Amino acid sequence: MDIHVRRRELDAAVHAAHGLLSTSPTLGSVRVVQQLDELRRLLELHKAYRPIREYLVRFDDARRARMLLLADLIPPSPGGTRA
């Protein structure tokens, strides 16, 4: 997808990005979230283009949902507060 962005094929980039969001929201590993964040940073450079701006809103909603799922998978840190 970054190839589409680098070539300024923004419609193709948005189309591919929508495909990523339609994948299972349970794909919420730390690695997947990091890759999605990198994609967001790349697209953010072109947020003046309306389809990308609209995609970023949808992306942020989907990312929040993935992070909620991921939070359930990560054990609490051992440095928590004492009862």
Side-chain angles (χ1 to χ4, degrees):
M1 180 171 344
D2 65 344
I3 292 173
H4 289 305
V5 175
R6 293 177 202 282
R7 291 181 180 174
R8 296 207 173 268
E9 298 170 349
L10 300 180
D11 289 325
V14 169
H15 179 74
H18 277 293
L20 283 175
L21 287 186
S22 64
T23 61
S24 173
T26 58
L27 292 176
S29 71
V30 172
R31 184 178 208 178
V32 168
V33 171
Q34 288 172 342
Q35 290 173 339
L36 290 173
D37 287 346
E38 182 60 34
L39 169 63
R40 191 192 194 296
R41 282 189 288 277
L42 186 63
L43 292 175
E44 180 76 22
L45 299 172
H46 303 282
K47 69 180 178 181
Y49 185 54
R50 188 172 137 219
I52 287 183
R53 191 170 52 249
E54 292 170 353
Y55 170 79
L56 290 174
V57 170
R58 184 172 174 232
F59 174 92
D60 290 342
D61 292 340
R63 186 185 186 283
R64 276 190 289 280
R66 287 179 194 263
M67 290 306 291
L68 287 173
L69 291 172
L70 187 58
D72 290 341
L73 299 175
I74 298 175
S77 67
T81 59
R82 294 182 185 207

